[in-house]
Coordinates of all heavy atoms in Angstrom, one line a residue:
M21 N 0.8 -1.2 0.0 CA 0.0 0.0 0.0 C 0.9 1.2 0.0 O 0.5 2.3 -0.6 CB -0.9 0.0 1.2 CG -2.0 0.9 1.1 SD -3.0 0.4 -0.2 CE -4.5 1.3 0.1
L22 N 1.9 1.2 0.7 CA 2.8 2.3 0.8 C 3.5 2.6 -0.6 O 3.6 3.7 -1.0 CB 3.9 2.1 1.8 CG 5.0 3.2 2.0 CD1 4.3 4.5 2.5 CD2 6.0 2.8 3.0
Q23 N 3.8 1.5 -1.3 CA 4.4 1.6 -2.6 C 3.5 2.3 -3.7 O 4.0 3.1 -4.4 CB 4.8 0.3 -3.2 CG 6.1 -0.3 -2.5 CD 5.5 -1.3 -1.4 OE1 4.4 -1.3 -1.0 NE2 6.5 -2.0 -0.9
I24 N 2.2 2.0 -3.6 CA 1.3 2.6 -4.5 C 1.1 4.1 -4.2 O 1.0 5.0 -5.1 CB 0.0 1.9 -4.6 CG1 -0.8 2.3 -5.8 CG2 -0.9 2.1 -3.4 CD1 -0.2 1.9 -7.1
A25 N 1.1 4.5 -2.9 CA 1.0 5.9 -2.6 C 2.2 6.6 -3.0 O 2.1 7.8 -3.6 CB 0.8 6.0 -1.1
I26 N 3.4 6.1 -2.9 CA 4.6 6.7 -3.3 C 4.6 6.8 -4.8 O 5.0 7.9 -5.4 CB 5.9 6.0 -2.8 CG1 5.9 6.2 -1.2 CG2 7.1 6.5 -3.5 CD1 7.0 5.4 -0.6
A27 N 4.2 5.7 -5.5 CA 4.2 5.8 -7.0 C 3.2 6.8 -7.5 O 3.5 7.6 -8.5 CB 3.8 4.4 -7.5
M28 N 2.1 7.0 -6.8 CA 1.1 8.0 -7.3 C 1.7 9.4 -7.1 O 1.6 10.3 -8.0 CB -0.2 7.9 -6.5 CG -1.0 6.7 -6.9 SD -2.5 6.4 -5.9 CE -3.3 8.0 -6.3
V29 N 2.3 9.7 -6.0 CA 2.9 11.0 -5.8 C 4.0 11.2 -6.8 O 4.2 12.3 -7.3 CB 3.4 11.1 -4.3 CG1 4.2 12.4 -4.1 CG2 2.2 11.1 -3.4
L30 N 4.8 10.3 -7.0 CA 6.0 10.3 -7.9 C 5.5 10.6 -9.4 O 6.0 11.5 -10.0 CB 6.8 9.1 -7.9 CG 8.0 9.0 -8.9 CD1 9.0 10.0 -8.4 CD2 8.6 7.6 -8.9
F31 N 4.5 9.9 -9.8 CA 4.0 10.2 -11.2 C 3.3 11.5 -11.3 O 3.4 12.1 -12.3 CB 3.0 9.0 -11.6 CG 3.7 7.8 -12.1 CD1 4.0 6.7 -11.2 CD2 4.2 7.7 -13.4 CE1 4.7 5.6 -11.7 CE2 4.8 6.6 -13.9 CZ 5.1 5.6 -13.0
F32 N 2.6 11.9 -10.2 CA 2.0 13.2 -10.2 C 3.0 14.3 -10.4 O 2.9 15.2 -11.2 CB 1.1 13.4 -8.9 CG 0.6 14.8 -8.8 CD1 -0.6 15.1 -9.5 CD2 1.2 15.8 -8.1 CE1 -1.1 16.4 -9.4 CE2 0.7 17.1 -8.0 CZ -0.5 17.4 -8.6
V33 N 4.0 14.3 -9.6 CA 5.1 15.3 -9.6 C 5.8 15.2 -10.9 O 6.2 16.3 -11.5 CB 6.0 15.2 -8.3 CG1 7.3 16.0 -8.5 CG2 5.2 15.4 -7.1
M34 N 6.1 14.1 -11.3 CA 6.9 13.9 -12.6 C 6.2 14.5 -13.8 O 6.7 15.3 -14.6 CB 7.2 12.4 -12.8 CG 8.0 12.2 -14.1 SD 8.4 10.5 -14.3 CE 6.8 9.7 -14.5
M35 N 4.8 14.2 -13.9 CA 4.1 14.7 -15.0 C 3.8 16.2 -14.8 O 3.7 16.9 -15.8 CB 2.8 13.9 -15.1 CG 2.2 13.8 -16.4 SD 3.3 13.3 -17.7 CE 2.5 14.0 -19.1
F36 N 3.7 16.6 -13.6 CA 3.5 18.1 -13.4 C 4.7 18.8 -13.9 O 4.6 19.8 -14.6 CB 3.2 18.4 -11.9 CG 3.1 19.9 -11.7 CD1 1.9 20.5 -11.9 CD2 4.2 20.6 -11.2 CE1 1.8 21.9 -11.6 CE2 4.1 21.9 -11.0 CZ 2.9 22.6 -11.2
G37 N 5.9 18.3 -13.5 CA 7.2 19.0 -13.9 C 7.4 18.9 -15.4 O 7.7 20.0 -16.0
I38 N 7.2 17.8 -16.0 CA 7.3 17.7 -17.5 C 6.3 18.6 -18.2 O 6.7 19.2 -19.2 CB 7.2 16.2 -17.9 CG1 8.4 15.4 -17.4 CG2 7.1 16.1 -19.4 CD1 8.3 13.9 -17.6
G39 N 5.1 18.5 -17.7 CA 4.0 19.4 -18.3 C 4.3 20.8 -18.2 O 4.0 21.6 -19.1
F40 N 4.8 21.2 -17.0 CA 5.1 22.7 -16.8 C 6.2 23.2 -17.7 O 6.1 24.2 -18.4 CB 5.5 22.9 -15.3 CG 5.4 24.3 -14.9 CD1 4.3 24.8 -14.5 CD2 6.6 25.1 -14.9 CE1 4.2 26.2 -14.0 CE2 6.5 26.4 -14.5 CZ 5.4 26.9 -14.1
I41 N 7.2 22.3 -17.9 CA 8.3 22.7 -18.8 C 7.9 22.7 -20.3 O 8.2 23.6 -21.0 CB 9.5 21.8 -18.6 CG1 10.1 22.0 -17.2 CG2 10.6 21.9 -19.7 CD1 11.1 21.0 -16.8
L42 N 7.1 21.7 -20.6 CA 6.6 21.7 -22.0 C 5.6 22.9 -22.3 O 5.7 23.5 -23.4 CB 5.8 20.4 -22.3 CG 6.6 19.1 -22.6 CD1 5.7 17.9 -22.7 CD2 7.4 19.4 -23.8
N43 N 4.8 23.3 -21.3 CA 4.0 24.4 -21.5 C 4.8 25.7 -21.6 O 4.5 26.6 -22.4 CB 3.0 24.5 -20.3 CG 1.9 23.6 -20.3 OD1 1.4 23.2 -21.4 ND2 1.5 23.1 -19.2
M44 N 5.9 25.8 -20.9 CA 6.7 27.0 -21.0 C 7.4 27.1 -22.3 O 7.5 28.2 -22.9 CB 7.7 27.1 -19.9 CG 7.2 27.6 -18.6 SD 8.5 28.0 -17.4 CE 9.6 26.6 -17.5
L45 N 7.9 26.0 -22.8 CA 8.7 26.0 -24.0 C 7.8 26.1 -25.3 O 8.2 26.7 -26.2 CB 9.5 24.7 -24.1 CG 10.7 24.6 -23.1 CD1 11.3 23.2 -23.2 CD2 11.6 25.7 -23.3
M46 N 6.7 25.4 -25.3 CA 5.8 25.4 -26.5 C 4.6 26.3 -26.5 O 4.0 26.4 -27.5 CB 5.3 23.9 -26.7 CG 6.4 22.9 -26.8 SD 5.8 21.3 -27.1 CE 5.1 21.4 -28.7
K47 N 4.5 27.0 -25.4 CA 3.4 28.0 -25.2 C 2.0 27.4 -25.5 O 1.2 28.0 -26.1 CB 3.7 29.2 -26.2 CG 4.9 29.9 -26.0 CD 4.9 30.7 -24.8 CE 6.2 31.6 -24.7 NZ 6.5 32.1 -23.4
T48 N 1.8 26.2 -25.1 CA 0.6 25.5 -25.2 C 0.1 25.2 -23.8 O 0.9 24.7 -23.0 CB 0.6 24.3 -26.1 OG1 1.5 23.4 -25.6 CG2 1.0 24.6 -27.6
T49 N -1.2 25.2 -23.6 CA -1.6 25.0 -22.2 C -2.0 23.5 -22.0 O -1.5 22.9 -21.0 CB -2.9 25.8 -21.9 OG1 -2.6 27.2 -22.2 CG2 -3.4 25.6 -20.5
W50 N -2.6 22.8 -22.9 CA -3.1 21.5 -22.7 C -2.3 20.4 -23.5 O -2.8 19.3 -23.5 CB -4.6 21.4 -23.0 CG -5.4 22.4 -22.2 CD1 -6.0 23.4 -22.6 CD2 -5.4 22.5 -20.7 NE1 -6.6 24.1 -21.6 CE2 -6.3 23.6 -20.4 CE3 -4.9 21.7 -19.7 CZ2 -6.5 23.9 -19.1 CZ3 -5.3 22.1 -18.4 CH2 -6.0 23.2 -18.1
F51 N -1.2 20.7 -24.1 CA -0.4 19.8 -24.8 C 0.0 18.5 -24.0 O 0.0 17.4 -24.5 CB 0.8 20.5 -25.4 CG 1.7 19.5 -26.2 CD1 1.3 19.0 -27.4 CD2 2.9 19.1 -25.7 CE1 2.1 18.1 -28.1 CE2 3.7 18.3 -26.4 CZ 3.3 17.8 -27.6
P52 N 0.5 18.7 -22.7 CA 0.9 17.6 -22.0 C -0.3 16.5 -21.8 O 0.0 15.3 -21.7 CB 1.3 18.1 -20.6 CG 1.8 19.5 -20.9 CD 0.9 20.0 -22.1
I53 N -1.5 17.0 -21.7 CA -2.6 16.0 -21.5 C -2.8 15.2 -22.8 O -2.9 14.0 -22.8 CB -3.9 16.7 -21.1 CG1 -3.8 17.3 -19.7 CG2 -5.1 15.8 -21.2 CD1 -4.9 18.1 -19.2
Y54 N -2.7 15.9 -23.9 CA -2.8 15.3 -25.2 C -1.7 14.3 -25.4 O -1.9 13.2 -25.9 CB -2.9 16.3 -26.4 CG -3.9 17.3 -26.3 CD1 -3.8 18.6 -26.6 CD2 -5.2 16.9 -25.9 CE1 -4.8 19.5 -26.5 CE2 -6.3 17.9 -25.7 CZ -6.0 19.2 -26.1 OH -7.0 20.1 -26.0
L55 N -0.5 14.7 -25.1 CA 0.6 13.8 -25.2 C 0.5 12.6 -24.4 O 0.8 11.5 -24.8 CB 1.9 14.6 -24.9 CG 3.2 13.8 -24.9 CD1 3.7 13.5 -26.3 CD2 4.4 14.5 -24.1
F56 N 0.0 12.8 -23.1 CA -0.2 11.7 -22.2 C -1.2 10.7 -22.7 O -0.9 9.5 -22.8 CB -0.6 12.2 -20.9 CG -0.7 11.2 -19.8 CD1 0.5 10.7 -19.2 CD2 -1.9 10.6 -19.4 CE1 0.4 9.7 -18.2 CE2 -2.0 9.7 -18.4 CZ -0.8 9.2 -17.9
V57 N -2.4 11.2 -23.2 CA -3.4 10.3 -23.6 C -3.1 9.6 -25.0 O -3.4 8.4 -25.2 CB -4.7 11.0 -23.7 CG1 -5.8 10.2 -24.4 CG2 -5.1 11.5 -22.3
I58 N -2.5 10.3 -25.9 CA -2.2 9.8 -27.2 C -1.0 8.9 -27.3 O -0.9 7.9 -28.0 CB -2.2 11.0 -28.3 CG1 -3.5 11.6 -28.4 CG2 -1.7 10.4 -29.6 CD1 -3.5 12.9 -29.2
V59 N 0.0 9.2 -26.5 CA 1.3 8.5 -26.6 C 1.6 7.6 -25.4 O 1.9 6.4 -25.6 CB 2.5 9.5 -26.8 CG1 3.8 8.8 -26.8 CG2 2.3 10.3 -28.1
L60 N 1.5 8.2 -24.2 CA 2.0 7.4 -23.0 C 1.1 6.3 -22.7 O 1.5 5.2 -22.3 CB 2.3 8.3 -21.9 CG 3.4 9.3 -22.1 CD1 3.6 10.3 -20.9 CD2 4.7 8.6 -22.4
V61 N -0.2 6.5 -22.6 CA -1.2 5.4 -22.2 C -1.1 4.2 -23.2 O -1.0 3.1 -22.8 CB -2.6 6.0 -22.0 CG1 -3.6 4.8 -21.8 CG2 -2.6 6.9 -20.8
P62 N -1.2 4.5 -24.5 CA -1.0 3.4 -25.4 C 0.3 2.6 -25.3 O 0.4 1.5 -25.5 CB -1.2 4.0 -26.8 CG -2.0 5.1 -26.6 CD -1.6 5.7 -25.3
L63 N 1.4 3.4 -25.1 CA 2.7 2.8 -24.9 C 2.7 1.9 -23.7 O 3.3 0.9 -23.7 CB 3.8 3.9 -24.8 CG 5.2 3.5 -24.7 CD1 5.6 2.8 -26.1 CD2 6.1 4.6 -24.4
Y64 N 2.1 2.3 -22.6 CA 2.0 1.5 -21.4 C 1.2 0.2 -21.7 O 1.7 -0.9 -21.3 CB 1.3 2.3 -20.3 CG 1.0 1.5 -19.0 CD1 2.0 1.0 -18.2 CD2 -0.3 1.2 -18.7 CE1 1.7 0.3 -17.1 CE2 -0.6 0.5 -17.6 CZ 0.4 0.0 -16.8 OH 0.1 -0.7 -15.7
I65 N 0.1 0.3 -22.4 CA -0.7 -0.8 -22.7 C 0.1 -1.8 -23.6 O 0.1 -3.0 -23.4 CB -2.0 -0.4 -23.3 CG1 -2.9 0.3 -22.2 CG2 -2.7 -1.6 -23.9 CD1 -4.1 0.9 -22.8
W66 N 0.8 -1.2 -24.6 CA 1.5 -2.1 -25.6 C 2.7 -2.8 -24.8 O 3.0 -3.9 -25.2 CB 2.0 -1.2 -26.7 CG 2.9 -1.9 -27.6 CD1 2.5 -2.8 -28.6 CD2 4.3 -1.9 -27.7 NE1 3.6 -3.3 -29.3 CE2 4.7 -2.8 -28.8 CE3 5.3 -1.2 -27.0 CZ2 6.0 -3.0 -29.1 CZ3 6.6 -1.4 -27.4 CH2 7.0 -2.3 -28.4
S67 N 3.3 -2.1 -23.9 CA 4.5 -2.7 -23.3 C 4.1 -3.9 -22.3 O 4.9 -4.7 -22.1 CB 5.3 -1.7 -22.5 OG 4.6 -1.2 -21.4
T68 N 2.9 -3.8 -21.8 CA 2.5 -4.9 -20.9 C 1.6 -5.9 -21.6 O 1.1 -6.8 -21.0 CB 1.7 -4.3 -19.7 OG1 0.6 -3.6 -20.2 CG2 2.5 -3.4 -18.9
W69 N 1.4 -5.8 -22.9 CA 0.5 -6.7 -23.7 C 1.1 -8.1 -23.8 O 2.3 -8.3 -24.1 CB 0.3 -6.1 -25.1 CG -0.9 -6.7 -25.8 CD1 -0.9 -7.7 -26.7 CD2 -2.2 -6.2 -25.6 NE1 -2.2 -7.9 -27.1 CE2 -3.0 -7.0 -26.5 CE3 -2.8 -5.2 -24.9 CZ2 -4.4 -6.8 -26.6 CZ3 -4.2 -5.1 -25.0 CH2 -4.9 -5.8 -25.9
D70 N 0.3 -9.1 -23.5 CA 0.7 -10.5 -23.6 C 0.1 -11.1 -24.9 O -1.1 -11.2 -25.0 CB 0.3 -11.3 -22.4 CG 0.8 -12.7 -22.4 OD1 1.6 -13.1 -23.3 OD2 0.3 -13.5 -21.6
R71 N 1.0 -11.4 -25.8 CA 0.5 -11.9 -27.2 C -0.2 -13.2 -27.1 O -1.0 -13.6 -28.0 CB 1.6 -11.9 -28.2 CG 2.0 -10.5 -28.6 CD 3.3 -10.4 -29.2 NE 3.9 -9.2 -29.6 CZ 3.8 -8.0 -29.1 NH1 3.0 -7.8 -28.1 NH2 4.5 -7.0 -29.5
G72 N 0.0 -13.9 -26.0 CA -0.7 -15.2 -25.9 C -2.1 -15.2 -25.4 O -2.8 -16.2 -25.5
L73 N -2.5 -14.0 -24.9 CA -3.9 -13.8 -24.4 C -4.8 -13.1 -25.4 O -4.2 -12.4 -26.3 CB -3.9 -13.0 -23.1 CG -3.1 -13.6 -21.9 CD1 -3.2 -12.6 -20.8 CD2 -3.8 -14.9 -21.5
S74 N -6.1 -13.3 -25.2 CA -7.0 -12.6 -26.1 C -7.1 -11.1 -25.8 O -6.6 -10.7 -24.8 CB -8.4 -13.2 -26.1 OG -8.9 -13.0 -24.8
F75 N -7.8 -10.4 -26.6 CA -8.0 -8.9 -26.4 C -8.6 -8.6 -25.0 O -8.1 -7.8 -24.2 CB -8.8 -8.3 -27.6 CG -8.9 -6.9 -27.5 CD1 -8.0 -6.0 -27.8 CD2 -10.2 -6.3 -27.0 CE1 -8.1 -4.7 -27.7 CE2 -10.3 -5.0 -26.9 CZ -9.3 -4.1 -27.3
T76 N -9.7 -9.3 -24.8 CA -10.4 -9.0 -23.5 C -9.7 -9.6 -22.3 O -9.7 -9.0 -21.2 CB -11.8 -9.7 -23.5 OG1 -11.7 -11.0 -23.8 CG2 -12.7 -9.0 -24.6
A77 N -8.9 -10.6 -22.5 CA -8.1 -11.1 -21.4 C -7.0 -10.2 -21.0 O -6.6 -10.1 -19.9 CB -7.6 -12.5 -21.7
N78 N -6.4 -9.5 -22.1 CA -5.4 -8.6 -21.8 C -5.8 -7.4 -21.0 O -5.2 -7.0 -20.0 CB -4.7 -8.1 -23.1 CG -3.6 -8.9 -23.5 OD1 -2.7 -9.3 -22.7 ND2 -3.5 -9.4 -24.7
F79 N -7.0 -6.9 -21.3 CA -7.6 -5.7 -20.6 C -8.1 -6.1 -19.2 O -8.1 -5.3 -18.3 CB -8.6 -5.0 -21.4 CG -8.1 -4.0 -22.3 CD1 -8.1 -4.3 -23.7 CD2 -7.5 -2.9 -21.9 CE1 -7.5 -3.4 -24.6 CE2 -6.9 -2.0 -22.8 CZ -6.9 -2.3 -24.2
S80 N -8.5 -7.4 -19.0 CA -8.9 -7.8 -17.7 C -7.8 -8.0 -16.8 O -7.9 -8.1 -15.5 CB -9.8 -9.0 -17.8 OG -9.0 -10.1 -18.3
E81 N -6.5 -8.1 -17.3 CA -5.4 -8.3 -16.5 C -5.0 -7.0 -15.7 O -4.3 -7.0 -14.7 CB -4.1 -8.7 -17.3 CG -4.3 -10.1 -17.9 CD -4.1 -11.2 -16.8 OE1 -3.3 -11.0 -15.9 OE2 -4.9 -12.2 -16.9
F82 N -5.4 -5.8 -16.3 CA -5.1 -4.6 -15.6 C -6.0 -4.5 -14.4 O -7.2 -4.6 -14.5 CB -5.4 -3.3 -16.5 CG -4.3 -3.3 -17.6 CD1 -4.8 -3.4 -19.0 CD2 -3.0 -3.0 -17.4 CE1 -3.9 -3.4 -20.0 CE2 -2.1 -3.0 -18.4 CZ -2.5 -3.1 -19.7
T83 N -5.4 -4.1 -13.2 CA -6.2 -4.0 -12.0 C -6.3 -2.5 -11.6 O -5.7 -1.6 -12.3 CB -5.6 -4.7 -10.9 OG1 -4.2 -4.2 -10.6 CG2 -5.4 -6.2 -11.2
F84 N -7.0 -2.2 -10.6 CA -7.1 -0.9 -10.0 C -5.8 -0.3 -9.7 O -5.5 0.9 -9.9 CB -8.1 -0.9 -8.8 CG -8.4 0.4 -8.3 CD1 -9.2 1.3 -9.0 CD2 -8.0 0.8 -7.0 CE1 -9.6 2.5 -8.6 CE2 -8.4 2.0 -6.5 CZ -9.1 2.9 -7.3
V85 N -4.9 -1.1 -9.1 CA -3.6 -0.7 -8.7 C -2.7 -0.3 -9.9 O -1.9 0.6 -9.9 CB -2.9 -1.8 -7.9 CG1 -1.5 -1.4 -7.6 CG2 -3.7 -2.0 -6.6
D86 N -3.0 -0.9 -11.1 CA -2.2 -0.6 -12.3 C -2.6 0.8 -12.8 O -1.8 1.5 -13.4 CB -2.5 -1.6 -13.4 CG -1.9 -3.0 -13.1 OD1 -0.9 -3.0 -12.4 OD2 -2.5 -4.0 -13.4
W87 N -3.9 1.2 -12.7 CA -4.4 2.4 -13.2 C -4.2 3.6 -12.3 O -4.3 4.7 -12.7 CB -5.9 2.3 -13.6 CG -5.9 1.4 -14.8 CD1 -6.4 0.1 -14.9 CD2 -5.6 1.7 -16.2 NE1 -6.4 -0.4 -16.2 CE2 -5.9 0.6 -17.0 CE3 -5.1 2.8 -16.8 CZ2 -5.6 0.6 -18.4 CZ3 -4.8 2.8 -18.1 CH2 -5.1 1.7 -18.9
L88 N -4.0 3.4 -11.0 CA -3.9 4.5 -10.0 C -2.7 5.4 -10.4 O -2.9 6.7 -10.4 CB -3.7 4.0 -8.6 CG -5.0 3.6 -8.0 CD1 -4.7 3.0 -6.6 CD2 -6.0 4.8 -7.9
P89 N -1.5 4.9 -10.7 CA -0.4 5.8 -11.1 C -0.7 6.6 -12.4 O -0.3 7.8 -12.6 CB 0.8 5.0 -11.2 CG 0.5 3.8 -10.4 CD -1.0 3.6 -10.5
V90 N -1.5 5.9 -13.3 CA -1.8 6.5 -14.6 C -2.7 7.7 -14.4 O -2.6 8.8 -14.9 CB -2.4 5.5 -15.5 CG1 -3.0 6.1 -16.8 CG2 -1.5 4.4 -15.9
V91 N -3.7 7.5 -13.5 CA -4.6 8.6 -13.2 C -3.9 9.7 -12.4 O -4.1 10.9 -12.7 CB -5.8 8.0 -12.3 CG1 -6.7 9.2 -11.8 CG2 -6.6 7.1 -13.2
A92 N -3.0 9.4 -11.6 CA -2.2 10.5 -10.8 C -1.4 11.3 -11.8 O -1.3 12.5 -11.7 CB -1.4 9.8 -9.8
A93 N -0.8 10.6 -12.8 CA 0.0 11.3 -13.8 C -0.9 12.2 -14.7 O -0.5 13.3 -15.0 CB 0.8 10.3 -14.7
L94 N -2.1 11.7 -15.0 CA -3.0 12.5 -15.8 C -3.5 13.8 -15.0 O -3.6 14.9 -15.5 CB -4.2 11.7 -16.2 CG -5.2 12.4 -17.1 CD1 -4.6 12.8 -18.4 CD2 -6.4 11.4 -17.3
V95 N -3.7 13.6 -13.7 CA -4.0 14.7 -12.9 C -2.9 15.7 -12.8 O -3.1 16.9 -12.8 CB -4.5 14.2 -11.5 CG1 -4.6 15.4 -10.5 CG2 -5.8 13.5 -11.5
G96 N -1.6 15.2 -12.7 CA -0.5 16.1 -12.7 C -0.3 16.9 -14.0 O 0.0 18.1 -14.0
A97 N -0.7 16.3 -15.1 CA -0.6 17.0 -16.4 C -1.7 18.1 -16.5 O -1.4 19.2 -16.9 CB -0.8 16.0 -17.6
Y98 N -2.9 17.8 -15.9 CA -4.0 18.8 -15.9 C -3.6 19.9 -15.0 O -3.8 21.1 -15.3 CB -5.2 18.1 -15.4 CG -6.4 19.1 -15.2 CD1 -7.0 19.6 -16.3 CD2 -6.7 19.6 -13.9 CE1 -8.0 20.6 -16.1 CE2 -7.7 20.5 -13.8 CZ -8.3 21.0 -14.9 OH -9.3 22.0 -14.7
V99 N -3.0 19.6 -13.8 CA -2.7 20.7 -12.8 C -1.5 21.6 -13.4 O -1.5 22.8 -13.2 CB -2.3 20.1 -11.5 CG1 -1.7 21.1 -10.5 CG2 -3.5 19.4 -10.8
S100 N -0.6 21.0 -14.2 CA 0.4 21.8 -14.8 C -0.2 22.8 -15.8 O 0.2 23.9 -15.9 CB 1.5 21.0 -15.5 OG 1.0 20.4 -16.7
G101 N -1.2 22.3 -16.6 CA -1.9 23.2 -17.5 C -2.7 24.3 -16.8 O -2.7 25.5 -17.2
Y102 N -3.3 24.0 -15.7 CA -4.1 24.9 -14.9 C -3.1 25.9 -14.3 O -3.4 27.1 -14.3 CB -4.9 24.2 -13.9 CG -5.7 25.1 -13.0 CD1 -6.9 25.6 -13.5 CD2 -5.3 25.5 -11.7 CE1 -7.6 26.5 -12.7 CE2 -6.1 26.4 -11.0 CZ -7.2 26.8 -11.5 OH -8.0 27.7 -10.7
A103 N -2.0 25.5 -13.8 CA -1.0 26.4 -13.2 C -0.4 27.4 -14.2 O -0.3 28.6 -14.0 CB 0.2 25.6 -12.6
I104 N -0.1 26.9 -15.4 CA 0.4 27.8 -16.5 C -0.7 28.8 -16.9 O -0.4 30.0 -17.1 CB 0.8 26.9 -17.7 CG1 2.1 26.2 -17.4 CG2 0.9 27.8 -19.0 CD1 3.3 27.1 -17.3
R105 N -2.0 28.3 -17.0 CA -3.0 29.2 -17.3 C -3.2 30.3 -16.3 O -3.4 31.5 -16.6 CB -4.3 28.4 -17.6 CG -5.4 29.3 -18.1 CD -6.6 28.5 -18.4 NE -7.2 28.1 -17.1 CZ -8.3 27.5 -16.9 NH1 -9.1 27.1 -18.0 NH2 -8.8 27.2 -15.7
A106 N -3.1 29.9 -15.0 CA -3.3 30.9 -13.9 C -2.2 31.9 -13.9 O -2.4 33.1 -13.7 CB -3.3 30.2 -12.6
L107 N -0.9 31.5 -14.3 CA 0.2 32.4 -14.3 C 0.1 33.3 -15.5 O 0.4 34.5 -15.4 CB 1.5 31.6 -14.5 CG 2.0 30.9 -13.2 CD1 3.1 30.0 -13.5 CD2 2.4 31.9 -12.1
R108 N -0.5 32.8 -16.6 CA -0.7 33.7 -17.8 C -1.7 34.8 -17.5 O -1.6 35.9 -17.9 CB -1.1 32.9 -19.0 CG 0.0 32.2 -19.6 CD -0.3 31.5 -20.9 NE 0.8 30.6 -21.3 CZ 0.6 29.4 -21.8 NH1 -0.6 28.9 -21.9 NH2 1.6 28.7 -22.2
I109 N -2.8 34.3 -16.8 CA -3.9 35.2 -16.4 C -3.4 36.3 -15.4 O -3.7 37.5 -15.5 CB -5.1 34.5 -15.9 CG1 -5.8 33.7 -17.0 CG2 -6.1 35.4 -15.2 CD1 -6.9 32.8 -16.6
G110 N -2.5 35.8 -14.6 CA -1.8 36.7 -13.6 C -0.9 37.7 -14.2 O -0.4 38.6 -13.5
G111 N -0.6 37.7 -15.4 CA 0.2 38.6 -16.1 C 1.7 38.3 -16.3 O 2.5 39.1 -16.7
Y112 N 2.1 37.1 -16.1 CA 3.4 36.6 -16.2 C 3.6 36.3 -17.7 O 3.0 35.4 -18.3 CB 3.7 35.4 -15.4 CG 3.8 35.7 -13.9 CD1 2.7 35.6 -13.1 CD2 5.0 36.3 -13.4 CE1 2.7 35.9 -11.8 CE2 5.0 36.6 -12.0 CZ 3.9 36.4 -11.2 OH 3.9 36.7 -9.9
K113 N 4.4 37.1 -18.4 CA 4.6 36.9 -19.9 C 5.5 35.8 -20.2 O 5.4 35.2 -21.3 CB 5.2 38.2 -20.5 CG 4.3 39.4 -20.3 CD 3.0 39.3 -21.0 CE 2.1 40.5 -20.7 NZ 0.8 40.3 -21.0
M114 N 6.3 35.3 -19.3 CA 7.2 34.2 -19.6 C 6.4 32.9 -19.9 O 6.9 32.1 -20.6 CB 8.2 34.0 -18.5 CG 9.2 32.9 -18.7 SD 10.2 32.8 -17.2 CE 11.0 31.2 -17.6
F115 N 5.3 32.8 -19.2 CA 4.5 31.6 -19.2 C 3.5 31.7 -20.3 O 2.7 30.9 -20.6 CB 4.0 31.2 -17.9 CG 5.0 31.2 -16.8 CD1 5.1 32.1 -15.8 CD2 5.9 30.1 -16.9 CE1 6.0 32.0 -14.8 CE2 6.9 30.0 -15.8 CZ 6.9 30.9 -14.8

């Protein structure tokens, strides 16, 4: 239980940091969320895919614990976009 809590915090902070830097460099607010959903989630599913199992059996292998860090990372990407948007509204031109 402690490992999943640490993993969730780690993935949240990691995706927040990466998203914040991407938002600063590319001047886009929600790009990290799109990147996460289009690239990272399918990459995670592909890397854990067992070719010996059927399609439904592969997806039933994922448990709640497998998806918790994914959701935490998605929330981190969203919070980074929200933080950048709040800084832009606040008048910070760098962001």
Side-chain angles (χ1 to χ4, degrees):
M21 196 63 165
L22 181 63
Q23 290 94 347
I24 194 66
I26 291 171
M28 287 177 62
V29 171
L30 179 68
F31 278 94
F32 174 83
V33 170
M34 181 178 62
M35 207 49 206
F36 177 84
I38 291 170
F40 197 86
I41 291 169
L42 282 175
N43 283 327
M44 280 194 314
L45 294 175
M46 299 182 69
K47 304 286 186 192
T48 60
T49 304
W50 304 114
F51 177 72
I53 292 177
Y54 302 140
L55 177 73
F56 185 79
V57 171
I58 293 171
V59 175
L60 295 179
V61 171
L63 186 65
Y64 172 70
I65 291 171
W66 177 76
S67 68
T68 59
W69 198 263
D70 185 10
R71 286 163 185 31
L73 296 175
S74 67
F75 181 80
T76 55
N78 269 313
F79 276 107
S80 66
E81 290 290 320
F82 292 114
T83 62
F84 187 66
V85 174
D86 294 327
W87 289 107
L88 281 176
V90 174
V91 171
L94 185 61
V95 170
Y98 174 77
V99 172
S100 73
Y102 182 77
I104 288 289
R105 189 177 68 172
L107 287 170
R108 286 186 187 136
I109 291 171
Y112 291 94
K113 299 295 181 200
M114 179 182 168
F115 303 109

